[in-house]
Amino acid sequence: MGKSLSVNLSRLKSTFEMSNKIGGTKNGGIHRLTFTEEDKQMRDIFVQWMKDSGLKVRVDDFGNIYGKREGKNKNADSVMIGSHLDSMPMAGRYDGILGVLASLEVVRTLNDHNIETERSIEIVNFTNEEGERFKPNMLGSGGITGKHDKEFIYNVKDYEGITFLEGLKEIDYLGSKNNRASHVAYFIELHIEQGPFLEANKKVIGVVDGVKGSSRFKLSIKGVSSHGAFPNDFRNDALIAASEIALVIDNQPDIFQDNLTTSIGVFEVYPSVQSQTSENVEMTFDVRHLNGNIKRKAINNIKQSIEEIANKKGVEVKLEQTWDANGQNFSKKVIEMVKDGAESYQYPYQYITSSPLHDASYIADIAETGMIFVPCEKGLSHREEEYVSFEDIEKGVNVLLYATQKLANL
Amino acid sequence: MGKSLSVNLSRLKSTFEMSNKIGGTKNGGIHRLTFTEEDKQMRDIFVQWMKDSGLKVRVDDFGNIYGKREGKNKNADSVMIGSHLDSMPMAGRYDGILGVLASLEVVRTLNDHNIETERSIEIVNFTNEEGERFKPNMLGSGGITGKHDKEFIYNVKDYEGITFLEGLKEIDYLGSKNNRASHVAYFIELHIEQGPFLEANKKVIGVVDGVKGSSRFKLSIKGVSSHGAFPNDFRNDALIAASEIALVIDNQPDIFQDNLTTSIGVFEVYPSVQSQTSENVEMTFDVRHLNGNIKRKAINNIKQSIEEIANKKGVEVKLEQTWDANGQNFSKKVIEMVKDGAESYQYPYQYITSSPLHDASYIADIAETGMIFVPCEKGLSHREEEYVSFEDIEKGVNVLLYATQKLANL
């Protein structure tokens, strides 16, 4: 079993071709934000595809879409597979989308071979994973796992003041609370790596052992602007303090050498004019690690350095934490099945910890969860250039097929 | 002589009060850009004041205004004193303005005491010293000293496309080329320090020995933007490279310990969004020193570090020099007279090199030139908070009076 079974790559390609047209950008990317016309179009087609494959489709009160393929054992909890169909602005064709379309292909392949499973298999498309239009991200999976109150989610507003609930109604995907995922034994999400390791190590399958926890901060630095001719040692230059802090933040992974990731996002300098030094810098940064203790240690290092640099440079700092998510270890059983899948097809694989967050990191609270990564070129994601070869996609979907089938019969 | 003579402080104060009203801001600053309605108003009043003091007023083809007090010796070259009445946007009340109003007070004081001098004394208001509306700065003094062609100056445009010549005509201050400063033996400019040294050293008079040369650069850094979760060591983060470069630039004065000044002005980061690392940084910086060799060495240090950091971080850099001015040593004779003045009144003084540029640094090419500095609070200039006490102003103007009179009788 399993080993010989393989997905239909040409069918999967044509499924992708349709997806590429919905919100497709002229540079080969996808622009498909939550609850926009493009999101609705893609959802409608996805629902139709699921119905055509004999699945029982339902929508919950956060707009998450499920399609169920009944198993032989009506009392057994199901195996859920899927991801999200929404995208970042001017983003890539694969992030999220791969996991959903691959799940459909898994079901279609089982149908092709008239394979029944003990457990039911459910495909899922989570709402608003990217969180670009409605912040924060992962509101669909966050809603059903209790990470956020329903009231909070419904009242989240986009840039124009439109609420999540209004957006949901607008595209006609407000379903019932009764339809939320429940009685799920296992969840598997196939996703592009969004990092460089598989490519660098010439591996095709990433057996994901967990998702890093992520803490985000906003830092305001207030110094004193002066004439550019003012002697350097007498200045309280916000930019120079911020530059030192940036290097400290960037240096933490070298200190811990332990799969820690840090990044600086927003970095705004005022007044930013010639021959005038800086008064203010506003910046954001994040710190990611699977292990909460190591993450905390790195954050404390950074905080201490910020204080020291602020004192040395005579600038005022205000640090605010804007997000905190714990790291999540994945299910040993799911990890084992993914590894077995890679071995059974003789695909080169490696264990890997996800640095970005995924719906899987929330779903891990309600089901035994795992992920499968496939390599993406140069690790680039959330960009129109995002690229995954269909050779690798085929392998990733085969492993998903293998693990799903195994878990559905356990 | 000299020692007993002192300017009329209450008259000088009332002259300042009028200046403060023309382009005065609600926070106690001045907003008086070149060739605006405010500039014209201030010029008109200044011309009237000079005429009231018996001066022979003329305007040259760059809008520089002169007022001449005839000396006894018609063949002797004159002593010129003055500065500029224009300001930076939302700037201070003293920068430039002090030098012009003080010069008027010097003439008024000489008139009060019916003191004749051998040489003629000329007051001057230079056009567009600040260069905010019409770039570059110091176009008035740069025009008469041949730093810039007349054609170049006339065609410089403001943000709205209005040329220097159009602006000059608009306020009716287009004079004749024959009126440019000529036959000037000495030039003295009284100015606020715009730095912290006099205040820090508890000195009232800065005997300025020269103006630092200044080189300005524009640096573009192009890296690769990635997901914030992308491992740090695999990134080509433009901001991290720029931060290292910023610290290298800021560190040069520590290497040379020799009155070198460096500053970073513009610093723009793209895309500057949360959880996404940086693709590009655009920055400007400058390097200042009196001695061209030391300035060059510092610039070479910086260039070499930029190359090294770019290689290490895998980012592309483009460096462009946008400005270069040589350092200017001032006249020994003028320096001596300024020092003698401070000593004769028993004012605490120190020698100092000007880090910012001034009209004096151009005029040094056509006349023996010097400057007098008075302390400004915290060294802050080009800002509404700019503050100089009238106690210190009085002392500075007394020294200007002393040096002017001495040089006019040499």
Side-chain angles (χ1 to χ4, degrees), chain A residues 295-322:
Chain A
K295 178 157 68 75
R296 259 189 300 280
K297 277 185 195 171
I299 291 167
N300 286 339
N301 265 1
I302 292 170
K303 281 183 175 171
Q304 198 183 322
S305 294
I306 289 173
E307 285 304 320
E308 284 166 10
I309 291 165
N311 284 336
K312 189 176 65 175
K313 295 291 178 195
V315 296
E316 286 168 35
V317 288
K318 201 179 120 197
L319 183 66
E320 187 187 335
Q321 183 156 4
T322 56

mmCIF file of all heavy atoms in Angstrom, chain A residues 295-322:
data_model
loop_
_atom_site.group_PDB
_atom_site.id
_atom_site.type_symbol
_atom_site.label_atom_id
_atom_site.label_comp_id
_atom_site.label_asym_id
_atom_site.label_seq_id
_atom_site.Cartn_x
_atom_site.Cartn_y
_atom_site.Cartn_z
ATOM 1 N N LYS A 295 13.780 31.476 23.813
ATOM 2 C CA LYS A 295 13.198 32.717 23.275
ATOM 3 C C LYS A 295 13.245 33.814 24.339
ATOM 4 O O LYS A 295 13.658 34.952 24.068
ATOM 5 C CB LYS A 295 11.768 32.457 22.792
ATOM 6 C CG LYS A 295 11.036 33.692 22.259
ATOM 7 C CD LYS A 295 9.898 33.352 21.318
ATOM 8 C CE LYS A 295 8.730 32.654 21.971
ATOM 9 N NZ LYS A 295 7.873 33.538 22.785
ATOM 10 N N ARG A 296 12.827 33.476 25.540
ATOM 11 C CA ARG A 296 12.827 34.467 26.622
ATOM 12 C C ARG A 296 14.235 34.983 26.929
ATOM 13 O O ARG A 296 14.443 36.165 27.155
ATOM 14 C CB ARG A 296 12.223 33.861 27.904
ATOM 15 C CG ARG A 296 10.768 34.271 28.144
ATOM 16 C CD ARG A 296 10.282 33.831 29.520
ATOM 17 N NE ARG A 296 10.358 32.377 29.702
ATOM 18 C CZ ARG A 296 9.437 31.520 29.217
ATOM 19 N NH1 ARG A 296 8.409 31.970 28.542
ATOM 20 N NH2 ARG A 296 9.573 30.220 29.423
ATOM 21 N N LYS A 297 15.206 34.065 26.937
ATOM 22 C CA LYS A 297 16.583 34.487 27.202
ATOM 23 C C LYS A 297 17.072 35.473 26.152
ATOM 24 O O LYS A 297 17.730 36.477 26.472
ATOM 25 C CB LYS A 297 17.521 33.270 27.226
ATOM 26 C CG LYS A 297 17.532 32.550 28.555
ATOM 27 C CD LYS A 297 18.576 31.434 28.539
ATOM 28 C CE LYS A 297 18.363 30.482 29.702
ATOM 29 N NZ LYS A 297 19.199 29.286 29.604
ATOM 30 N N ALA A 298 16.771 35.179 24.896
ATOM 31 C CA ALA A 298 17.191 36.085 23.817
ATOM 32 C C ALA A 298 16.513 37.443 23.980
ATOM 33 O O ALA A 298 17.141 38.498 23.824
ATOM 34 C CB ALA A 298 16.862 35.475 22.460
ATOM 35 N N ILE A 299 15.217 37.422 24.314
ATOM 36 C CA ILE A 299 14.477 38.685 24.489
ATOM 37 C C ILE A 299 15.083 39.476 25.650
ATOM 38 O O ILE A 299 15.268 40.697 25.550
ATOM 39 C CB ILE A 299 12.973 38.401 24.725
ATOM 40 C CG1 ILE A 299 12.342 37.865 23.434
ATOM 41 C CG2 ILE A 299 12.239 39.646 25.200
ATOM 42 C CD1 ILE A 299 10.965 37.258 23.618
ATOM 43 N N ASN A 300 15.422 38.780 26.736
ATOM 44 C CA ASN A 300 16.037 39.480 27.870
ATOM 45 C C ASN A 300 17.391 40.078 27.500
ATOM 46 O O ASN A 300 17.715 41.193 27.911
ATOM 47 C CB ASN A 300 16.177 38.538 29.069
ATOM 48 C CG ASN A 300 14.825 38.294 29.724
ATOM 49 O OD1 ASN A 300 13.896 39.091 29.548
ATOM 50 N ND2 ASN A 300 14.696 37.196 30.445
ATOM 51 N N ASN A 301 18.167 39.319 26.736
ATOM 52 C CA ASN A 301 19.438 39.864 26.211
ATOM 53 C C ASN A 301 19.208 41.165 25.458
ATOM 54 O O ASN A 301 19.912 42.159 25.643
ATOM 55 C CB ASN A 301 20.051 38.890 25.194
ATOM 56 C CG ASN A 301 21.056 37.968 25.827
ATOM 57 O OD1 ASN A 301 21.281 38.033 27.024
ATOM 58 N ND2 ASN A 301 21.660 37.123 25.023
ATOM 59 N N ILE A 302 18.220 41.114 24.562
ATOM 60 C CA ILE A 302 17.932 42.287 23.722
ATOM 61 C C ILE A 302 17.477 43.454 24.598
ATOM 62 O O ILE A 302 17.957 44.582 24.447
ATOM 63 C CB ILE A 302 16.873 41.941 22.653
ATOM 64 C CG1 ILE A 302 17.460 40.956 21.633
ATOM 65 C CG2 ILE A 302 16.370 43.204 21.951
ATOM 66 C CD1 ILE A 302 16.425 40.358 20.685
ATOM 67 N N LYS A 303 16.569 43.170 25.541
ATOM 68 C CA LYS A 303 16.058 44.238 26.417
ATOM 69 C C LYS A 303 17.196 44.898 27.193
ATOM 70 O O LYS A 303 17.247 46.127 27.309
ATOM 71 C CB LYS A 303 15.036 43.665 27.410
ATOM 72 C CG LYS A 303 13.664 43.433 26.814
ATOM 73 C CD LYS A 303 12.701 42.928 27.892
ATOM 74 C CE LYS A 303 11.290 42.801 27.322
ATOM 75 N NZ LYS A 303 10.390 42.112 28.266
ATOM 76 N N GLN A 304 18.087 44.050 27.717
ATOM 77 C CA GLN A 304 19.201 44.581 28.504
ATOM 78 C C GLN A 304 20.103 45.458 27.623
ATOM 79 O O GLN A 304 20.517 46.550 28.031
ATOM 80 C CB GLN A 304 19.986 43.416 29.080
ATOM 81 C CG GLN A 304 20.884 43.816 30.240
ATOM 82 C CD GLN A 304 21.699 42.626 30.743
ATOM 83 O OE1 GLN A 304 21.188 41.503 30.794
ATOM 84 N NE2 GLN A 304 22.953 42.859 31.083
ATOM 85 N N SER A 305 20.370 44.999 26.417
ATOM 86 C CA SER A 305 21.212 45.786 25.502
ATOM 87 C C SER A 305 20.545 47.101 25.130
ATOM 88 O O SER A 305 21.203 48.132 25.012
ATOM 89 C CB SER A 305 21.500 44.999 24.229
ATOM 90 O OG SER A 305 22.282 43.879 24.527
ATOM 91 N N ILE A 306 19.230 47.054 24.931
ATOM 92 C CA ILE A 306 18.512 48.292 24.594
ATOM 93 C C ILE A 306 18.697 49.303 25.725
ATOM 94 O O ILE A 306 18.988 50.478 25.473
ATOM 95 C CB ILE A 306 17.011 48.001 24.332
ATOM 96 C CG1 ILE A 306 16.839 47.246 23.008
ATOM 97 C CG2 ILE A 306 16.199 49.299 24.319
ATOM 98 C CD1 ILE A 306 15.416 46.776 22.739
ATOM 99 N N GLU A 307 18.549 48.862 26.960
ATOM 100 C CA GLU A 307 18.727 49.762 28.102
ATOM 101 C C GLU A 307 20.143 50.328 28.147
ATOM 102 O O GLU A 307 20.352 51.527 28.343
ATOM 103 C CB GLU A 307 18.435 49.029 29.428
ATOM 104 C CG GLU A 307 16.962 48.780 29.706
ATOM 105 C CD GLU A 307 16.142 50.062 29.690
ATOM 106 O OE1 GLU A 307 16.623 51.091 30.201
ATOM 107 O OE2 GLU A 307 15.022 50.038 29.138
ATOM 108 N N GLU A 308 21.123 49.445 27.953
ATOM 109 C CA GLU A 308 22.517 49.877 28.008
ATOM 110 C C GLU A 308 22.833 50.891 26.906
ATOM 111 O O GLU A 308 23.483 51.916 27.136
ATOM 112 C CB GLU A 308 23.452 48.668 27.867
ATOM 113 C CG GLU A 308 23.538 47.829 29.133
ATOM 114 C CD GLU A 308 24.182 46.465 28.900
ATOM 115 O OE1 GLU A 308 24.736 46.251 27.786
ATOM 116 O OE2 GLU A 308 24.121 45.628 29.798
ATOM 117 N N ILE A 309 22.358 50.578 25.705
ATOM 118 C CA ILE A 309 22.634 51.472 24.567
ATOM 119 C C ILE A 309 21.927 52.812 24.780
ATOM 120 O O ILE A 309 22.481 53.873 24.517
ATOM 121 C CB ILE A 309 22.213 50.800 23.242
ATOM 122 C CG1 ILE A 309 23.146 49.616 22.953
ATOM 123 C CG2 ILE A 309 22.204 51.801 22.090
ATOM 124 C CD1 ILE A 309 22.643 48.662 21.887
ATOM 125 N N ALA A 310 20.687 52.752 25.287
ATOM 126 C CA ALA A 310 19.933 53.990 25.535
ATOM 127 C C ALA A 310 20.660 54.865 26.559
ATOM 128 O O ALA A 310 20.781 56.080 26.371
ATOM 129 C CB ALA A 310 18.521 53.658 26.014
ATOM 130 N N ASN A 311 21.160 54.234 27.615
ATOM 131 C CA ASN A 311 21.903 55.005 28.626
ATOM 132 C C ASN A 311 23.160 55.610 28.041
ATOM 133 O O ASN A 311 23.461 56.782 28.247
ATOM 134 C CB ASN A 311 22.286 54.104 29.815
ATOM 135 C CG ASN A 311 21.094 53.843 30.713
ATOM 136 O OD1 ASN A 311 20.146 54.639 30.723
ATOM 137 N ND2 ASN A 311 21.118 52.739 31.420
ATOM 138 N N LYS A 312 23.894 54.804 27.311
ATOM 139 C CA LYS A 312 25.162 55.246 26.718
ATOM 140 C C LYS A 312 24.933 56.404 25.745
ATOM 141 O O LYS A 312 25.692 57.363 25.724
ATOM 142 C CB LYS A 312 25.797 54.053 26.005
ATOM 143 C CG LYS A 312 27.200 54.271 25.518
ATOM 144 C CD LYS A 312 27.787 52.980 24.900
ATOM 145 C CE LYS A 312 27.049 52.574 23.643
ATOM 146 N NZ LYS A 312 27.645 51.418 22.954
ATOM 147 N N LYS A 313 23.883 56.296 24.944
ATOM 148 C CA LYS A 313 23.641 57.301 23.901
ATOM 149 C C LYS A 313 22.758 58.448 24.380
ATOM 150 O O LYS A 313 22.529 59.402 23.628
ATOM 151 C CB LYS A 313 22.977 56.640 22.684
ATOM 152 C CG LYS A 313 23.849 55.618 21.973
ATOM 153 C CD LYS A 313 25.016 56.296 21.286
ATOM 154 C CE LYS A 313 25.937 55.301 20.603
ATOM 155 N NZ LYS A 313 27.236 55.895 20.251
ATOM 156 N N GLY A 314 22.233 58.352 25.593
ATOM 157 C CA GLY A 314 21.374 59.424 26.098
ATOM 158 C C GLY A 314 20.088 59.586 25.307
ATOM 159 O O GLY A 314 19.665 60.701 25.008
ATOM 160 N N VAL A 315 19.486 58.475 24.935
ATOM 161 C CA VAL A 315 18.196 58.536 24.230
ATOM 162 C C VAL A 315 17.142 57.836 25.093
ATOM 163 O O VAL A 315 17.463 57.004 25.925
ATOM 164 C CB VAL A 315 18.265 57.859 22.835
ATOM 165 C CG1 VAL A 315 19.237 58.600 21.938
ATOM 166 C CG2 VAL A 315 18.647 56.381 22.950
ATOM 167 N N GLU A 316 15.873 58.230 24.869
ATOM 168 C CA GLU A 316 14.784 57.571 25.588
ATOM 169 C C GLU A 316 14.242 56.436 24.732
ATOM 170 O O GLU A 316 14.089 56.587 23.523
ATOM 171 C CB GLU A 316 13.644 58.560 25.846
ATOM 172 C CG GLU A 316 13.949 59.575 26.929
ATOM 173 C CD GLU A 316 12.910 60.687 26.932
ATOM 174 O OE1 GLU A 316 11.731 60.407 26.657
ATOM 175 O OE2 GLU A 316 13.306 61.835 27.194
ATOM 176 N N VAL A 317 13.917 55.325 25.382
ATOM 177 C CA VAL A 317 13.350 54.207 24.624
ATOM 178 C C VAL A 317 12.025 53.784 25.232
ATOM 179 O O VAL A 317 11.816 53.885 26.441
ATOM 180 C CB VAL A 317 14.299 52.981 24.598
ATOM 181 C CG1 VAL A 317 15.491 53.254 23.708
ATOM 182 C CG2 VAL A 317 14.747 52.593 25.992
ATOM 183 N N LYS A 318 11.127 53.330 24.366
ATOM 184 C CA LYS A 318 9.849 52.776 24.821
ATOM 185 C C LYS A 318 9.656 51.457 24.087
ATOM 186 O O LYS A 318 9.602 51.435 22.851
ATOM 187 C CB LYS A 318 8.714 53.755 24.499
ATOM 188 C CG LYS A 318 7.475 53.536 25.343
ATOM 189 C CD LYS A 318 6.394 54.539 24.995
ATOM 190 C CE LYS A 318 5.145 53.819 24.519
ATOM 191 N NZ LYS A 318 4.212 54.689 23.805
ATOM 192 N N LEU A 319 9.599 50.374 24.848
ATOM 193 C CA LEU A 319 9.487 49.044 24.248
ATOM 194 C C LEU A 319 8.136 48.454 24.604
ATOM 195 O O LEU A 319 7.711 48.490 25.757
ATOM 196 C CB LEU A 319 10.603 48.143 24.784
ATOM 197 C CG LEU A 319 10.677 46.736 24.201
ATOM 198 C CD1 LEU A 319 11.045 46.782 22.726
ATOM 199 C CD2 LEU A 319 11.691 45.898 24.968
ATOM 200 N N GLU A 320 7.471 47.905 23.600
ATOM 201 C CA GLU A 320 6.114 47.402 23.793
ATOM 202 C C GLU A 320 6.012 46.054 23.078
ATOM 203 O O GLU A 320 6.398 45.945 21.915
ATOM 204 C CB GLU A 320 5.180 48.431 23.132
ATOM 205 C CG GLU A 320 3.726 48.259 23.319
ATOM 206 C CD GLU A 320 2.969 49.275 22.433
ATOM 207 O OE1 GLU A 320 3.563 50.344 22.095
ATOM 208 O OE2 GLU A 320 1.838 48.983 22.062
ATOM 209 N N GLN A 321 5.504 45.048 23.772
ATOM 210 C CA GLN A 321 5.321 43.752 23.111
ATOM 211 C C GLN A 321 3.962 43.742 22.428
ATOM 212 O O GLN A 321 2.946 44.077 23.034
ATOM 213 C CB GLN A 321 5.411 42.617 24.135
ATOM 214 C CG GLN A 321 5.287 41.247 23.471
ATOM 215 C CD GLN A 321 5.917 40.136 24.273
ATOM 216 O OE1 GLN A 321 6.394 40.354 25.381
ATOM 217 N NE2 GLN A 321 5.947 38.936 23.713
ATOM 218 N N THR A 322 3.930 43.377 21.154
ATOM 219 C CA THR A 322 2.685 43.461 20.393
ATOM 220 C C THR A 322 2.112 42.091 20.053
ATOM 221 O O THR A 322 1.004 41.999 19.526
ATOM 222 C CB THR A 322 2.899 44.232 19.078
ATOM 223 O OG1 THR A 322 3.953 43.580 18.350
ATOM 224 C CG2 THR A 322 3.286 45.674 19.351
#
